[in-house]
Amino acid sequence: MTRPHSSSLALALRAFLTDYLPRQRALSPHTLHSYRDSLKLLIQFVAGKKADPGRLTMEQVTYERVMAFLLYLETGRNNQVSTRNVRLSAIRSFFRFVGAHYPEHLALAQRILSAPLKRTASREIQHLELSEIQAVLGGIDRSTHDGRRDHVLLSFLFNTGARVSEVVGLQACDLALDPPPNVRLRGKGRKERRCPLWADTAKALRAHLREHTVAPHEPRSVFLNHCGQPLTRFGVRWILRKHVRNAALRVTSLKTKRLHPHSVRHSTAIHLLRSGR
């Protein structure tokens, strides 16, 4: 039976977000949220302020309106070209799904799939030298509860080169702290890998778990915020920036660096290459 056009957009969105992305492509929750937010912004833009987004049809999401939406992101929301491209990638992924599963909308899907990405100026990913890493860790006041957490968190990041999504999702049951210590990390596409831990990192993690009365094999989050909830990626970014800013008072080379959690991952990779591993 042919699906009514008035509901095909809603049906396609539901199937795309609740089945195709999480189950067939096994995307991480963070990526799912990004896709969902991109499509939500598009639907709201196409519907306009007065119309009900729930009544929007597939035919109303035209190539011209998608291009107008992309222009609005840059001029109305002051988004960078990179953000504009991320939104377009999500839209193109959705219409690739539409073209494959809703043949009545194939022509529309092909038209929107032709929407071009914009070129962006490549920016060098900055990294931390070993002396700078030592300055950041050495400057953390471990006499406080937050300081001890921050020191373990950043030590873990520098040790493993984990993605920030892997850090905020880390649970005590992922840690194997008996010799040889290692950690199970869940990466993109829910792929798992084992990463060795330095003896000092393992020792700090044991103390951290004891302080929070967490048993090593419990399925409980390792890194928590003030409310006892798992740290968010924004929380990790804020912690890193705070301690880099403090260390920059003593190490002048840190003053000119734009650093974020991925910079730490990049730093770990560089030091592994330099050590011949």
Side-chain angles (χ1 to χ4, degrees):
M1 184 175 70
T2 304
R3 300 180 183 88
H5 284 194
S6 60
S7 62
S8 58
L9 178 60
L11 288 171
L13 284 168
R14 178 183 296 176
F16 180 71
L17 293 171
T18 63
D19 180 68
Y20 177 71
L21 292 182
R23 296 180 184 176
Q24 297 185 40
R25 290 192 57 191
L27 297 187
S28 69
H30 172 64
T31 306
L32 280 172
H33 291 159
S34 177
Y35 275 61
R36 181 201 64 192
D37 291 346
S38 296
L39 293 169
K40 176 184 174 182
L41 286 171
L42 173 65
I43 296 304
Q44 290 176 334
F45 176 83
V46 173
K49 294 182 179 180
K50 296 182 179 180
D52 178 7
R55 294 182 175 273
L56 206 62
T57 65
M58 191 76 77
E59 291 81 2
Q60 290 174 281
V61 188
T62 63
Y63 173 86
E64 290 73 20
R65 285 175 173 163
V66 169
M67 295 305 294
F69 168 68
L70 297 173
L71 179 62
Y72 159 73
L73 291 178
E74 292 187 75
T75 60
R77 293 175 63 92
N78 296 319
N79 288 164
Q80 299 292 325
V81 171
S82 57
T83 302
R84 179 256 192 207
N85 285 345
V86 167
R87 302 299 189 196
L88 176 56
S89 294
I91 294 167
R92 284 166 55 166
S93 181
F94 171 65
F95 277 97
R96 195 173 295 112
F97 170 83
V98 168
H101 295 83
Y102 296 79
E104 64 269 31
H105 299 300
L106 180 58
L108 172 64
Q110 290 176 332
R111 179 75 172 119
I112 291 177
L113 285 171
S114 69
L117 295 169
K118 278 191 173 183
R119 286 192 175 185
T120 58
S122 59
R123 178 185 293 174
E124 178 186 1
I125 300 176
Q126 295 184 313
H127 70 279
L128 290 159
E129 297 295 341
L130 182 58
S131 59
E132 294 171 335
I133 293 173
Q134 293 169 339
V136 171
L137 293 176
I140 299 174
D141 180 7
R142 283 184 275 173
S143 67
T144 68
H145 174 83
D146 285 353
R148 289 189 293 275
R149 178 205 61 193
D150 294 355
H151 188 271
V152 178
L153 170 67
L154 295 183
S155 296
F156 181 83
L157 274 171
F158 289 127
N159 180 165
T160 62
R163 296 181 178 88
V164 68
S165 59
E166 295 170 334
V167 174
V168 298
L170 183 69
Q171 296 186 335
C173 57
D174 295 322
L175 298 169
L177 300 179
D178 293 328
N182 63 88
V183 60
R184 176 178 59 191
L185 297 173
R186 298 181 178 87
K188 290 184 176 180
R190 299 181 183 176
K191 294 179 181 178
E192 295 185 0
R193 69 185 190 279
R194 285 280 175 180
C195 180
L197 294 173
W198 300 327
D200 287 347
T201 305
K203 181 179 178 181
L205 283 166
R206 285 194 199 95
H208 179 76
L209 294 179
R210 283 197 302 270
E211 184 171 355
H212 292 81
T213 61
V214 178
H217 302 296
E218 282 190 272
R220 291 172 57 186
S221 295
V222 173
F223 298 113
L224 307 175
N225 60 21
H226 285 293
C227 300
Q229 298 298 314
L231 272 177
T232 66
R233 55 195 178 93
F234 301 107
V236 174
R237 181 187 289 257
W238 184 85
I239 289 170
L240 175 64
R241 285 184 173 175
K242 178 178 76 170
H243 294 297
V244 168
R245 189 166 54 246
N246 290 340
L249 298 175
R250 303 182 305 279
V251 181
T252 56
S253 59
L254 287 170
K255 293 181 179 180
T256 58
K257 291 190 174 182
R258 293 171 54 88
L259 299 168
H260 46 78
H262 191 71
S263 306
V264 177
R265 179 172 168 80
H266 189 57
S267 302
T268 302
I270 287 176
H271 293 304
L272 285 173
L273 286 171
R274 287 177 178 173
S275 65
R277 296 182 185 178

